[in-house]
Amino acid sequence: MSFCILIPTVNRKDLLVPALQYYVENMPNTNIYVWDNGSQGIPEMGERVKVWNSPTNLGVAPSWNRLIMEASKNGETNFLILND
């Protein structure tokens, strides 16, 4: 079974970017979706990492919902929701 990773974030770019780099290097078949509630300029790191910048902080649950909606649009059906 394949899955994608969903990560809502706010003000954690310093910790999140190294984690994203790890996932990209060690999970080559996994797409990663990031909802940036702080508009921190998180890089997309290739076509498998997609980042959305929110003009306002939606909070955790609405960010999860947005990420699930965006991942579903890309055909994803199994989600691993992580914290930043």
Side-chain angles (χ1 to χ4, degrees):
M1 171 177 23
S2 64
F3 63 91
C4 66
I5 296 174
L6 310 178
I7 306 172
T9 184
V10 63
N11 301 329
R12 300 281 183 170
K13 180 181 177 180
D14 59 324
L15 299 174
L16 183 58
V17 170
L20 291 174
Q21 290 170 336
Y22 176 85
Y23 297 144
V24 167
E25 292 170 10
N26 294 289
M27 302 174 87
N29 299 317
T30 303
N31 291 325
I32 304 162
Y33 301 85
V34 178
W35 193 269
D36 184 359
N37 282 302
S39 295
Q40 306 166 79
I42 296 170
E44 290 200 349
M45 298 182 199
E47 61 185 53
R48 291 187 305 116
V49 179
K50 296 174 181 42
V51 179
W52 288 269
N53 291 299
S54 180
T56 60
N57 185 348
L58 299 180
V60 175
S63 296
W64 290 339
N65 292 336
R66 291 284 180 103
L67 285 165
I68 291 169
M69 182 178 66
E70 293 297 338
S72 295
K73 286 180 189 177
N74 288 323
E76 306 283 3
T77 57
N78 298 301
F79 314 108
L80 177 61
I81 300 175
L82 302 178
N83 292 320
D84 59 355

